[in-house]
Amino acid sequence: MFSYTFRRLLVAIPTMFVIVTVAFFMIRMAPGGPFDLERALPPEIEKNVLRAYNLDQPLWKQYVDYVGGVVQGDFGPSYKYRDFTVAELIGSGFPASFQLGFTAIVIALVFGVGFGSFAALRQNSGLDHAVMAVSMTGIAIPNFVMAPLLTLVFGVYLSLLPVAGWGDGALINKILPITALALPQLAYIARLTRGSMVETLNANFVRTARAKGLRERIVIVRHTLKGAMLPVVSYLGPATAQILTGSVVIETIFDIPGIGRYFVQGALNRDYTLVLGVMITLATLIIVLNLIVDLVYGLLDPKVRYD
Amino acid sequence: MAAVGERMDRMAGMEEVAGRSLWQAAWGRLLANRAAVVSLFVLGIIAVMALLAPWLSPHPYDEVYWERIQAPPDFANFHWFGTDGNGRDLFVRTLYGARVSLMVGILATGVSLLIGVSYGAIAGYVGGRTDSIMMRIVDIMYSLPFMFFVILLMVLFGRNIFLIFIALGAVEWLTMARIVRGQTLSIKHKEYIEAAHAAGVSNRVIVFRHIVPNVLGPVIVYVTLTVPQVILTESFISFLGLGVQEPLTSWGVLISEGAKQMESAPWMLIFPATFLAITLFCFNFIGDGLRDALDPKDR
C-alpha cells in the first residue's frame, strides 16, 4: 500500500501538468478577454494594459511564464481584483469555503448513512418510503430555492438566525449555509447507502455472519455497512473536493467570503489567472481525495487489491 | 459420449433461454412493485401532457398578456397556474418546459450511463497501468472548468440544444465511471468471474456479460440521482445564456425565475417545482423497483 501511494503521488505531477496545460489553452480559446468592456478601450491604452499583464506576448511565452510561476508557487495577479494576487485571494477565501464544506459533508455523511441504512433495513415499507422522501427534499428542492427559503423562514419570519453575512466566522452565521450545503449531499449519500445496503443484506457473507450467531448490531455495522460503503466512498471523493472549493450559489446568497464565487465570476470576466488558480486548488483536492478513496476501497473490501 | 454431447447441447439451449428471460423476468417483477408502477404511470401522464401541451390550454406558450402580468392562478381566464413576470401563461409554459427538461434529463443521463459504465468497468477490470491512466484522465476532466467546456462547444458548433445533452453527458459520466470502477475492483476477484476465465470466456464478454450486470445496482441508483442534477444544471447553462432560448423554457429556468419572486408570486415557483419534485420521486421509485427486479439474489 505504501509503494502504491508513493507511485500515485509521483503520477500526480504529470497529471497536474496536463490539467494546467489543457485548462490554460482551453480558457484562452474562449472568446473575449479580461479587459473587454462594453465600449472598447482606446487602442493605445489597451496596448498598455495588455503589456502591464504580459498579455501582449505570444501565447506560448505566456504559457511558459505561467507554468514557471506556478512551479515556484506564484499564481500571478488577478485581472479583475486589482492589487491582489491570485494566491492572496484564494488564501483569504479558502478557509471559509473549507469550514462550511467540511462541516456540511460530515453532517451529510452521518445523517445520509444513518437514513439510508434505516430505510434499507425496512425495505419497501412505509417507513422506508417516508425516510427516503424526507431525505430526497435536498434534491427535490434545488439549492438556489432552498437557500432563500431557509433565510425566509429562519431569518425573516422566525428571526432566529442571521439572514446573511459571515460575522467573522461566528457559528450562528454558519448554520444556514451549512444546512443548505449539506441537504443535497445528504440526499445523495442516503440514496446510495440504501441501494447498496439492500444489495449487501442479501450477500453470502452477511448470511454467514448471521449463521455464526453474531449479534444483529454487529452484523449490520461491521459486516453489512462496511461492505455497502463502496459506492458511497466512490461518490464522496469528487463530491468533497467540489464542496470544499465552495458553492457559488450558497456563497452569493449568504454573502460568504469564500472562493466558490471566484470560479464563476472569474470565468465570466475571463480573469484567466484567477480561474486557473481556483482550478489548481480543485485539482489538488481531487487528486488527493481520489487517492484516499482508492486506499479506503482496500480497507473496506479485502477483495480489492492493487499490484 | 453421445449422452454427454446431447446434454451439452441441452445445456447450451438452456443458457440461451435463461439469457433472454433475465430481462423478461425483471420486467415481470418490476410490474409487481406497486410504487414503481404508479411512478411509471405518473411519469407517462406528465410526458403525454408535455406532448399535448398546445391542445391542453387555450394560451400559446409565448403569448404576452399585458393586462395580466404576474397574475395569480385564475380560472376565469384559463390561467390555471397563473402568469409569469412577462404575463405569459404558466401552465402551458410548465408543460413546454417539461419537454426540454425531460429530454435533457433522459438523453444526457443516457450518454453519461453509456460512457461511464463501459469506461469504469473496463478500467476496473483491466486494472494496472490501464486503470491508472484511465482514472487520471477522469481526474483531469473533473478539474477542468465545466463552463469553459460549454462555452467552447458553443463557439465551435454554434448554439444547439443537442450540445447541451453532449456537454452535460460528458461531465456527468465521471462520477458514474468512478462508482462502476470501484464496484468492478471488488467483484473482479469473485468466483464466477474466475470461473468464466477458466471456461475461456473472452475479456470483452466477461466485462459486458458478467461484470456490468452485477454492478447495475449502484448504477441504477446513481442514474436516478443524475436525472435531477442534469435538469438543474441545464438551468445554470441557460442562465449563462447558453442553453434554451427565450421564449422557449425549461423547468430549471422556470424554477430559478420563480425563486426570485418567491414572496411576491409564489405560484411561479410552486408549480414548476412541484412538477420537478414529482418527476424526481417517480424516477426514484422506478429506479428502486428496477434495482430490486434486476437483483438475482433478491427473490
Side-chain angles (χ1 to χ4, degrees), chain A residues 17 65-75:
Chain A
F17 182 73
D65 288 346
Y66 182 75
V67 173
V70 167
V71 170
Q72 296 167 41
D74 174 14
F75 295 86

Side-chain angles (χ1 to χ4, degrees), chain A residues 1 7 23 42 83 96-97 131 136 139 215 226 230 242 265 273:
Chain A
M1 200 157 107
R7 261 183 296 142
D83 304 329
S97 295
V131 168
M136 287 307 290
I139 302 181
R215 265 179 301 144
K226 199 173 152 194
L230 231 51
Q242 252 136 27
Q265 277 174 14
T273 43

Side-chain angles (χ1 to χ4, degrees), chain A residues 190-232:
Chain A
R191 279 207 45 90
L192 286 169
T193 305
R194 180 192 175 277
S196 187
M197 269 291 261
V198 164
E199 202 151 309
T200 317
L201 280 170
N202 291 312
N204 292 333
F205 64 84
V206 173
R207 198 174 311 142
T208 310
R210 287 229 169 88
K212 278 197 301 190
L214 289 183
R215 265 179 301 144
E216 188 63 14
R217 209 168 53 90
I218 293 186
V219 174
I220 299 301
V221 174
R222 199 179 297 165
H223 294 269
T224 319
L225 199 55
K226 199 173 152 194
M229 279 295 96
L230 231 51
V232 178

Side-chain angles (χ1 to χ4, degrees), chain A residues 4 8 11 15 18-19 22-23 26-27 29-31 123-124 129 132-133 136-137 139-140 142 144-145 148-149 152 157 187-188 191-192 194-195 198-199 202-203 230-231 234-235 238 242 248 263-264 266-268 270 275 279 282-283 286-287 290 293-294 297 301 303-307, chain B residues 33 35 128 131-132 136 139-140 142-145 147-149 151-152 155-156 175 178-179 181-183 185-187 189-191 214 216-218 220-222 224-226 228-229 232 235-236 240 252 255-256 259 262-263 269 273 276-277 280-281 284-285 287-288 291-292 295 297-298:
Chain A
Y4 177 76
R8 277 286 291 271
V11 175
T15 311
V18 174
I19 291 173
V22 174
M26 197 164 113
I27 291 173
M29 270 163 67
Q123 194 193 350
N124 289 337
H129 291 320
M132 288 323 286
M136 287 307 290
T137 47
I139 302 181
F144 57 84
V145 176
L149 209 60
L152 210 59
Y157 295 154
Y188 271 79
R191 279 207 45 90
L192 286 169
R194 180 192 175 277
V198 164
E199 202 151 309
N202 291 312
L230 231 51
S234 303
Y235 170 76
Q242 252 136 27
V248 59
F263 221 155
V264 174
L268 292 177
R270 303 287 185 277
V275 174
M279 212 201 59
L282 174 66
I286 283 189
I287 289 173
N290 276 344
V293 165
D294 284 345
Y297 283 161
D301 188 337
K303 285 211 194 68
V304 177
R305 274 175 241 134
Y306 299 108
D307 14 75
Chain B
N33 183 326
D131 172 43
S132 176
R136 293 305 73 74
D139 284 353
I140 291 169
Y142 263 128
S143 315
L144 294 178
M147 223 176 336
F148 280 103
F149 189 63
I151 293 172
L152 278 187
V155 172
L156 293 176
T175 303
R178 281 206 61 93
I179 289 178
R181 168 182 172 268
Q183 298 300 110
L185 286 176
S186 155
I187 66 169
H189 293 296
K190 284 210 170 162
E191 295 80 359
N214 284 295
L216 277 186
I220 291 170
V221 171
Y222 195 72
T224 62
L225 295 169
T226 309
Q229 187 164 2
L232 292 175
S235 76
F236 179 63
L240 292 177
I255 291 173
S256 55
M262 195 181 279
E263 275 182 284
L269 174 62
L276 175 69
L280 206 145
F281 281 113
N284 280 321
F285 288 128
D288 284 347
R291 202 217 62 78
D292 292 352
D295 189 350
K297 290 186 296 260
D298 184 26

